[in-house]
Amino acid sequence: MIELCAITKSFAVGLPYQLTAVRDVSLVIEQGQFVVIKGPSGSGKTTLLTLIGCMARPTSGRIMLRGLPHPGLPGSADSAEVEITSLPERFLTAIRRATFGFIFQHFNLVRGITVLENVMLPAYPTGEPYELFRSRALQLLELFSISRHAATPVDRLSGGETQRVAIARALINNPKVIIADEPTAHLDSGLSSEFMEILSTFQAQGKTVLIASHDPLVYESSIPDMVVQMRDGAITGITRQQ
Amino acid sequence: MRKSNIFILITCFNLALLLLLAAHARLGKQNAEVPQAVCAGIVKELQLTDLCLFTEARYTRHPSMADFHAPFQDHPGALDHFPSGSLVSPPRFSHEGL
Amino acid sequence: MIVQPAALALIVAALLTGFMVLYAGWYGVRILLHWDMRSGSELQLSLERRTYLISAIVNFALICQLLSLLLFIYTADALHSLFIGAMCAAGTLHVNGFGYPVLALKIVNFLLAGLWLIINYADTQGYDYPLIRVKYSLLLAMVPLVLLESFCLIAYFAGLQADVITSCCGSLFSLDRPGIGGDLAGLPDRSMAIAFYCNMAATAACGIIFLVKKRGGYLFAALSSMGFISAIAALVSFFCLYFYELPTHHCPFCILQSQYGYVGYLLYGCLLGGGVAGLGVGALMPLRGRGSMAAVIPVLQRQLMAAALVLYLIFTLVVSWPVIFSSFKLL
Amino acid sequence: MKTTSAFIIWLCLVCATAAYAADTVPVAGEKDKCPVCGMFVAPYPGWTGVIVLKDLSALFFDGPKDLCTYYNNVGKYSPGRSRSDIAAVWVKDYYALTSIDGMKAFYVIGSDVLGPMGRELVPFMKESDAATFFKDHKGSKILRFGDITPQVMKSLE
Amino acid sequence: MSGLLARHRNIIDFALSSLLRRKAKNISLLAVYTLIVIIIASCMLFINALKQEAAAVLKDAPDMVVQKMVAGRHDLMPVSRGEVIGGITGVRGVTARLWGYYYDAVTRANYTLTVSDGGQPAPGSIYIGSAIARLTGFSQGDLMPLRTYKGESKLLQVVRVLPAEAEIVSADLIVLSEKDFRELFNFPAGFATDLAVSAGNPLELATIAAKIVHQFPDTRPIMKSEMLRTYDSIFDWRGGMIVVMFAVAVLAFIIFAWDKASGLSAEERREIGILKSIGWETADVLLLKFWEGAIISLTAFLCGATVAYCHVFFFSASLFEHALKGWAVLYPQFRLAPSINAYQLTILFFLTVVPYTAATIIPSWRSATVDPDSSMR
């Protein structure tokens, strides 16, 4: 479970051009939920995702993780509750690596290296034996039927293949939460619905899925459990689907 | 093969090469004992004091026999032996051609 | 001034470490002044990022320090032929007043940098930056010492004049010479050896007690520091004689030469490593109550203690070897 | 008759070996160690002293000081032997570095020249050499072999 | 422990991938770096081999040479002083040395003429060094003309060419008889160039030298240890100067390396942003940068040292030949006894790898602190 309590994130604090991207947001996301955050661009969706995904620390407010892995911190059981707002970057990164898988707007693959290497990248600094995560990466490629491209540099892939590589990379460390930021912005309708289908299978596996999007194809689909509406950094409404 | 393995192999190969060269040096030192003994024999027989490395001036031919003002001794144009002494040639004197 | 590749290499290393440590010290001051863990401000974030740079720099400085300590001693040893009367490093270092201070500072700085890295390691294991002030105060203490060392090293090489008449180790470490060398050599050899063995035994006992009962960390640190000093004293006054098989030669440097199989590097390496680890145990003692450190430090202390014990054991075995097995006998 | 000739042959042999013992000085090898202090002798050829026993075995010393220590207390270092077993004593003349008869040499003590074992008895064949050395190197006394008593040895420690 | 090792290996994998992606840039960096290592290493190996050669060859040089000085210059030494010096206690023997220089206007080379103490060769015949034989074409049995002090030509028969392997001490030597030597230069009888003194006990040399200076204040004794030390300091000095000169090259290279490490392109920034957002920590990126640098410097260091060794000992340091030859006409050809040791490699490491590493620390850190959320913006 992820719980946000009165989260505010400001940039350039104390300067004339101070900007508050997220304002007093409180939200509870249960394990296994499929959540879409919708809103126009500049509404603070992405900033909220970076805060939840342990990439940045809020200016005020608290974020609690419950039942999620948190390596290096006391309380070894995953059921323990961790307050992540004031952790050093080192620990935030460790949590991010173990808990979250990210899919970015432009997929953000590292150019010039192969598909396989791109998929394995998040596992490199974990110190896990190479053979282990390599076979996992090959399985994922198999799952998304792109194994034949394993040794191809990512620059040579088509849009759909790139998307699937990005998803495979998000899954390499076996995360409990998948975070996707405007994943369908550059995809045609066919690929977008394929993408949603794939994500819904993750939900079926018990993973939490968190998407920021202003694409109607995403938030009007029947898949999400909850749609959070944002405007100017604040939540303006929550729609739950049964 | 993993890239890191290739790198480690290449580095090991380089190190082995260096070790091989160290072994070569040891061997070469033994082989050099004979010529060095010949040299030492001539040094002893002729009571030599210096190596014949640079024959251009007496302070470079016999550095250990030269004195403090040696650079001024050979010809008026001789500059200090380093660095210009080994790079600049002396002026040509008229009496040399005779 | 002696222009020689090894001297140049050492000067380059000294300038680099001096400059880097000064840079680290400057940010150390800023961290001490502005550190506020609860704040998520940009200043705090940038300071947190600086800590990575500073530990990278001290890491670099420590490795540099260790290598240059070895290179310095070896160079001093290799240069002895340039000085009349010098037989080994002892004479070369004695050529001018900066030689021995450089050596002492190098050893002290090595110990301090090792200590800093131990504390830094413990600190990075904690999620609440518990040791940040301790760590950066220690860094600030190191800065002037490292700068002084760099200065002394450059002054030493700048002041080296070939053909200076110096003393050889035989006279520097002879019994009737006033000064620390003579005092060390003049210590009663047998009782020094006994003191050394007792000290090592006590250190080992204390370490084992600590490992089992988790008590007596301060005592261990004190004993291992004393062990460090008594090991050097015993080496100079007693064990050296067995390595040289000469009843009058007390030089602590000649054992670094090839005739003695470079055994000195092994001995001093063990001693320095053991010293750092032993001091680390003591330095961590007062810190183990802080925040998240309660879980981290005891584990680290046990590892350090084991390392110290193993290194001291190797040292003891190596120095005892010739005493037991050589046919040479002191009268 | 037979016994006489055997005796003569025996006498010749003894004389020959005695002559051998008196004339040739054994040279220390790489492995020879000083029986008094255990040091290797070979690195200090300029100081090496030799004692040849009657059975022609040779003992090497790294300096005249250790040689005299041995000479003053033979039984301690070679159990079962005594001073009477010694056939010849050789030391190195300081100036010439040649072996000379230790019994007839002149020894300077108290000088500023140190041997491998520190303060030394510096041996000379000629008294005049000893006197020069005495003056050059600030010696304190010139001794003959017989003057080297345990008390003198004590002063060298 | 194995986890730590696995992490390093994984990161090396990626470091190699990212180096290979910018092949042209990194290979040129490696090439320049290797070249600098080669030059510095060749210089150090060459100098060290010469020092060792000097020590090995000159170990039987005279214990001490006594020169007479007049107005700050060498002057002829009266042989009679040799008897006085021979009387000093501790002196084993004194021999008068006769030697000098001869300038050959035809070849424009300086020869060293010396008289052997043993009375060889006989009057009218000479031995010549092999470099002279090579330069002039004279060989055994030929008659070699030398100009006397009067300008006349004196024909001397070459009876022996000194062995080629001894060229490092004898390249320019002409050994002749005392009679010929004195005739050639009108060298006054009763005088010698200098005196060679041998001592029974080398420990006494200092005392003997002091006594000689006391007796003849206008003389200068040069002990063997001083001769050997002269070579040590000349070579150290020259080696040091060459290293100082190449320090400029190292400096330029380091600025280049700094620039390379700190001038992050937009592409590189983006990549590091991606790495950090997918779970690489600042320390991991630092490690990545460290390994990128270490791979380059380790490879350059090892290859450079190997090539330098081959250059100096297999190709007789042919790149340095011209700089060393200077304007000398006679240049000895010699092969140095090879030597390489950990000490030299450590110095080389300090002169090349350590500055490079230091120069890349701060830029690496700067690139490692790209915000993880930068790739989301």
Side-chain angles (χ1 to χ4, degrees):
Chain A
M1 192 179 76
I2 302 164
E3 185 181 346
L4 311 179
C5 287
I7 294 296
T8 299
K9 175 71 179 177
S10 305
F11 294 102
V13 181
L15 296 173
Y17 48 91
Q18 177 171 346
L19 173 81
T20 304
V22 173
R23 206 183 298 272
D24 197 28
V25 167
S26 296
L27 187 67
V28 176
I29 299 166
E30 297 290 345
Q31 183 64 36
Q33 270 190 322
F34 196 122
V35 180
V36 172
I37 302 171
K38 75 168 186 179
S41 54
S43 60
K45 304 185 301 282
T46 302
T47 310
L48 191 62
L49 287 189
T50 61
L51 292 174
I52 295 173
C54 299
M55 287 185 184
R57 291 200 291 223
T59 314
S60 69
R62 301 189 319 144
I63 302 175
M64 320 285 283
L65 300 183
R66 224 166 281 144
L68 293 171
H70 44 82
L73 296 179
S76 55
D78 286 353
S79 58
E81 182 181 275
V82 200
E83 204 260 326
I84 60 167
T85 10
S86 63
L87 284 179
E89 198 192 308
R90 186 175 296 115
F91 292 88
L92 285 179
T93 312
I95 293 173
R96 182 160 78 242
R97 198 152 60 201
T99 310
F100 299 99
F102 290 90
I103 302 162
F104 303 97
Q105 190 174 0
H106 302 280
F107 301 123
N108 279 355
L109 297 180
V110 177
R111 267 176 243 160
I113 62 174
T114 63
V115 166
L116 184 64
E117 272 185 286
N118 256 296
V119 173
M120 293 191 301
L121 260 188
Y124 276 165
T126 55
E128 203 185 340
Y130 180 79
E131 292 310 323
L132 230 63
F133 64 76
R134 185 166 184 271
S135 66
R136 213 162 56 225
L138 288 172
Q139 274 170 19
L140 284 170
L141 292 180
E142 188 78 30
L143 184 68
F144 296 116
S145 45
I146 34 175
S147 319
R148 68 205 150 87
H149 289 305
T152 319
V154 285
D155 330 41
R156 299 211 197 127
L157 296 181
S158 70
E161 287 162 341
T162 313
Q163 174 196 326
R164 279 176 282 167
V165 174
I167 299 172
R169 185 179 68 183
L171 291 174
I172 185 74
N173 281 341
N174 225 345
K176 290 219 162 154
V177 183
I178 307 277
I179 292 181
D181 182 30
E182 302 282 5
T184 58
H186 298 277
L187 300 179
D188 59 30
S189 309
L191 285 174
S192 297
S193 35
E194 187 195 326
F195 179 77
M196 290 301 281
E197 286 304 317
I198 295 175
L199 287 198
S200 70
T201 61
F202 297 155
Q203 192 196 5
Q205 290 162 18
K207 294 190 195 297
T208 309
V209 179
L210 199 54
I211 304 180
S213 177
H214 61 269
D215 183 358
L217 231 160
V218 172
Y219 59 80
E220 283 172 7
S221 129
S222 61
I223 297 169
D225 299 316
M226 183 162 83
V227 176
V228 179
Q229 265 176 299
M230 283 188 81
R231 182 169 280 276
D232 297 332
I235 296 180
T236 53
I238 299 179
T239 323
R240 288 174 204 272
Q241 296 182 10
Q242 286 309 310
Chain B
M1 191 144 92
R2 285 183 74 176
K3 291 199 179 92
S4 56
N5 285 349
I6 299 176
F7 169 71
I8 291 168
L9 273 182
I10 291 178
T11 306
C12 287
F13 173 76
N14 269 333
L15 276 173
L17 207 62
L18 217 55
L19 280 180
L20 212 65
L21 289 182
H24 172 263
R26 181 156 284 205
L27 201 73
K29 195 162 274 177
Q30 281 166 10
N31 291 342
E33 272 167 18
V34 174
Q36 277 179 354
V38 172
C39 289
I42 288 180
V43 166
K44 196 178 172 110
E45 184 193 334
L46 300 179
Q47 297 193 315
L48 303 180
T49 53
D50 286 271
L51 297 186
C52 173
L53 291 176
F54 322 103
T55 56
E56 57 260 48
R58 75 166 69 152
Y59 60 91
T60 58
R61 173 64 181 91
H62 289 102
S64 74
M65 295 290 106
D67 42 26
F68 300 123
H69 352 274
F72 302 113
Q73 289 189 346
D74 284 72
H75 55 82
L79 298 168
D80 191 355
H81 84 285
F82 194 84
S84 33
S86 39
L87 301 173
V88 179
S89 60
R92 204 185 176 113
F93 294 118
S94 56
H95 64 261
E96 281 176 3
L98 302 174
Chain C
M1 179 75 192
I2 281 196
V3 184
Q4 200 248 4
L8 287 172
L10 284 165
I11 289 172
V12 165
L15 284 175
L16 281 174
T17 39
F19 171 75
M20 300 287 264
V21 169
L22 194 63
Y23 181 90
W26 164 246
Y27 282 102
V29 172
R30 294 197 33 159
I31 285 173
L32 282 178
L33 289 181
H34 302 294
W35 188 262
D36 178 13
M37 198 50 227
R38 277 153 305 169
S39 150
S41 71
E42 264 124 80
L43 176 65
Q44 172 65 17
L45 278 176
S46 81
L47 289 181
E48 279 176 33
R49 288 192 177 150
R50 285 281 166 197
T51 60
Y52 286 95
L53 176 60
I54 293 175
S55 48
I57 286 178
V58 180
N59 256 317
F60 171 81
L62 178 85
I63 293 170
C64 234
Q65 201 68 254
L66 179 64
L67 283 176
S68 74
L69 178 62
L70 293 179
L71 185 63
F72 180 72
I73 292 183
Y74 197 98
T75 304
D77 203 48
L79 285 179
H80 73 78
S81 66
L82 293 181
F83 306 101
I84 300 160
M87 274 168 65
C88 68
T92 320
L93 292 177
H94 196 253
V95 171
N96 67 39
F98 290 108
Y100 281 101
V102 172
L103 185 65
L105 280 168
K106 269 195 181 301
I107 293 171
V108 169
N109 286 338
F110 175 79
L111 292 176
L112 281 178
L115 215 53
W116 196 89
L117 287 177
I118 289 172
I119 294 178
N120 183 45
Y121 177 77
D123 187 48
T124 54
Q125 301 296 100
Y127 51 84
D128 47 359
Y129 286 103
L131 309 180
I132 202 93
R133 283 185 194 282
V134 181
K135 197 162 90 173
Y136 286 96
S137 310
L138 179 60
L139 179 67
L140 286 191
M142 269 168 66
V143 172
L145 286 173
V146 172
L147 291 180
L148 186 65
E149 182 209 307
S150 303
F151 168 77
C152 285
L153 186 106
I154 294 168
Y156 173 69
F157 282 115
L160 276 188
Q161 299 286 333
D163 302 347
V164 163
I165 296 175
T166 177
S167 318
C168 79
C169 48
S171 69
L172 278 176
F173 290 90
S174 75
L175 304 175
D176 44 354
R177 170 132 185 153
I180 184 155
D183 288 346
L184 273 179
L187 292 169
D189 43 18
R190 285 248 157 71
S191 26
M192 263 335 285
I194 292 165
F196 164 76
Y197 281 119
C198 292
N199 200 327
M200 284 296 161
T203 313
C206 181
I208 289 163
I209 289 172
F210 184 91
L211 288 178
V212 176
K213 292 194 171 168
K214 304 184 171 49
R215 280 215 314 250
Y218 285 117
L219 186 62
F220 179 81
L223 282 173
S224 71
S225 329
M226 267 167 59
F228 184 79
I229 294 165
S230 77
I232 288 180
L235 188 66
V236 172
S237 65
F238 180 73
F239 293 114
C240 270
L241 306 180
Y242 283 89
F243 284 107
Y244 303 132
E245 305 205 327
L246 267 176
T248 52
H249 198 59
H250 286 284
C251 176
F253 296 103
C254 288
I255 43 171
L256 297 166
Q257 292 178 336
S258 59
Q259 298 98 292
Y260 307 103
Y262 300 111
V263 67
Y265 289 98
L266 176 68
L267 291 179
Y268 292 124
C270 285
L271 217 48
L272 281 174
V276 167
L279 275 178
V281 171
L284 289 175
M285 277 309 275
L287 308 175
R288 59 194 200 157
R290 297 200 187 184
S292 57
M293 289 292 98
V296 174
I297 286 188
V299 179
L300 182 58
Q301 275 183 318
R302 271 202 293 283
Q303 291 168 344
L304 287 174
M305 196 164 280
L309 288 180
V310 168
L311 289 171
Y312 277 178
L313 181 68
I314 296 175
F315 179 88
T316 311
L317 289 180
V318 174
V319 292
S320 308
W321 187 268
V323 177
I324 299 168
F325 292 105
S326 107
S327 60
F328 171 79
K329 290 287 169 282
L330 268 187
L331 290 177
Chain D
M1 188 61 202
K2 247 184 188 166
T3 47
T4 346
S5 57
F7 177 77
I8 291 170
I9 292 168
W10 179 81
L11 201 66
C12 291
L13 273 174
V14 169
C15 290
T17 48
Y20 165 76
D23 288 350
T24 29
V25 186
V27 180
E30 284 289 318
K31 293 265 177 289
D32 285 317
K33 282 185 159 196
C34 170
V36 175
C37 68
M39 270 167 63
F40 285 110
V41 178
Y44 312 97
W47 293 97
T48 313
V50 189
I51 285 183
V52 182
L53 299 176
K54 289 242 168 81
D55 62 2
L56 291 188
S57 64
L59 295 165
F60 298 97
F61 301 87
D62 52 53
K65 183 163 78 175
D66 279 353
L67 187 146
C68 293
T69 310
Y70 178 89
Y71 189 82
N72 281 332
N73 203 345
V74 179
K76 180 180 167 194
Y77 300 102
S78 307
R81 293 197 191 270
S82 67
R83 201 178 273 190
S84 57
D85 290 322
I86 293 175
V89 175
W90 298 101
V91 290
K92 286 270 172 79
D93 181 85
Y94 175 77
Y95 281 126
L97 294 190
T98 50
S99 287
I100 54 174
D101 186 347
M103 308 273 199
K104 296 182 188 139
F106 297 84
Y107 296 89
V108 177
I109 59 168
S111 72
D112 57 8
V113 171
L114 298 176
M117 300 283 291
R119 275 169 280 191
E120 266 296 358
L121 295 145
V122 186
F124 299 92
M125 185 155 73
K126 288 189 280 187
E127 191 169 12
S128 61
D129 283 354
T132 316
F133 179 86
F134 182 86
K135 202 174 89 214
D136 288 348
H137 292 282
K138 310 182 192 72
S140 66
K141 217 176 241 172
I142 301 180
L143 302 172
R144 300 308 304 269
F145 194 68
D147 304 332
I148 304 170
T149 57
Q151 285 89 335
V152 173
M153 295 307 298
K154 220 168 188 73
S155 75
L156 292 173
E157 272 168 15
Chain E
M1 195 63 208
S2 67
L4 198 70
L5 217 62
R7 174 167 167 247
H8 276 270
R9 275 185 65 190
N10 294 340
I11 289 180
I12 291 174
D13 268 342
F14 185 67
L16 284 163
S17 290
S18 73
L19 286 176
L20 287 175
R21 253 179 317 148
R22 291 177 265 277
K23 259 194 209 103
K25 189 177 166 188
N26 287 312
I27 288 180
S28 60
L29 181 76
L30 186 66
V32 175
Y33 199 165
T34 311
L35 191 69
I36 289 179
V37 176
I38 291 174
I39 293 170
I40 295 182
S42 304
C43 168
M44 281 171 48
L45 288 173
F46 187 67
I47 295 280
N48 193 55
L50 269 179
K51 266 165 79 169
Q52 292 192 348
E53 194 79 19
V57 162
L58 294 179
K59 66 179 192 294
D60 289 327
D63 283 339
M64 191 196 303
V65 169
V66 183
Q67 297 172 337
K68 182 167 181 261
M69 308 294 290
V70 170
R73 303 190 57 152
H74 307 172
D75 198 47
L76 301 186
M77 172 66 92
V79 177
S80 57
R81 288 190 180 183
E83 285 151 31
V84 182
I85 291 171
I88 294 175
T89 323
V91 174
R92 180 188 281 164
V94 181
T95 45
R97 293 204 309 162
L98 278 170
W99 60 277
Y101 299 104
Y102 175 86
Y103 178 70
D104 185 7
V106 181
T107 53
R108 297 176 51 74
N110 283 311
Y111 303 151
T112 299
L113 268 58
T114 180
V115 173
S116 164
D117 186 39
Q120 291 291 330
S125 49
I126 51 173
Y127 304 158
I128 60 172
S130 43
I132 298 181
R134 199 166 52 235
L135 182 73
T136 57
F138 287 116
S139 59
Q140 201 169 333
D142 292 343
L143 287 175
M144 184 170 176
L146 293 177
R147 281 167 80 92
T148 64
Y149 70 103
K150 283 189 274 189
E152 295 160 352
S153 192
K154 184 178 171 72
L155 284 173
L156 294 163
Q157 189 178 32
V158 179
V159 294
R160 182 181 159 204
V161 177
L162 294 171
E165 61 258 56
E167 208 159 292
I168 194 163
V169 290
S170 64
D172 69 336
L173 283 190
I174 296 181
V175 186
L176 67 178
S177 65
E178 182 176 344
K179 176 173 164 286
D180 290 334
F181 186 83
R182 290 193 189 275
E183 277 176 18
L184 204 62
F185 296 117
N186 193 23
F187 210 93
F191 285 87
T193 313
D194 48 29
L195 299 174
V197 178
S198 68
N201 189 341
L203 285 178
E204 269 306 278
L205 275 172
T207 315
I208 295 170
K211 284 185 182 173
I212 292 174
V213 173
H214 181 76
Q215 194 128 16
F216 304 110
D218 62 344
T219 59
R220 195 167 68 126
I222 301 166
M223 281 180 262
K224 182 155 75 181
S225 60
E226 289 171 323
M227 296 171 204
L228 292 174
R229 206 162 49 240
T230 305
Y231 280 89
D232 268 5
S233 41
I234 287 178
F235 293 140
D236 274 346
W237 168 256
R238 281 202 173 217
M241 286 312 287
I242 294 174
V243 170
V244 166
M245 273 155 66
F246 279 106
V248 181
V250 173
L251 200 69
F253 172 70
I254 281 166
I255 292 168
F256 174 55
W258 173 288
D259 187 53
K260 186 233 161 216
S262 64
L264 270 187
S265 64
E267 176 69 18
E268 280 170 285
R269 278 190 81 79
R270 199 183 136 250
E271 268 174 36
I272 290 168
I274 295 172
L275 290 179
K276 294 198 71 174
S277 64
I278 59 174
W280 285 51
E281 208 242 321
T282 308
D284 300 323
V285 182
L286 269 177
L287 200 60
L288 167 71
K289 289 281 156 191
F290 162 77
W291 273 115
E292 282 183 13
I295 288 166
I296 291 206
S297 47
L298 206 61
T299 310
F301 176 76
L302 291 175
C303 293
T306 310
V307 174
Y309 183 92
C310 298
H311 166 226
V312 172
F313 297 116
F314 295 140
F315 299 101
S316 304
S318 40
L319 288 180
F320 293 156
E321 204 179 36
H322 294 281
L324 287 172
K325 260 184 178 169
W327 36 268
V329 176
L330 268 178
Y331 185 71
Q333 292 178 349
F334 50 85
R335 269 240 156 136
L336 290 165
S339 79
I340 188 166
N341 55 39
Y343 178 52
Q344 291 169 299
L345 290 177
T346 313
I347 295 173
L348 187 65
F349 185 82
F350 263 84
L351 288 174
T352 54
V353 176
V354 169
Y356 176 80
T357 311
T360 51
I361 288 183
I362 292 175
S364 305
W365 168 78
R366 219 168 258 160
S367 63
T369 50
V370 170
D371 277 321
D373 56 349
S374 65
S375 59
M376 298 276 274
R377 288 189 207 128

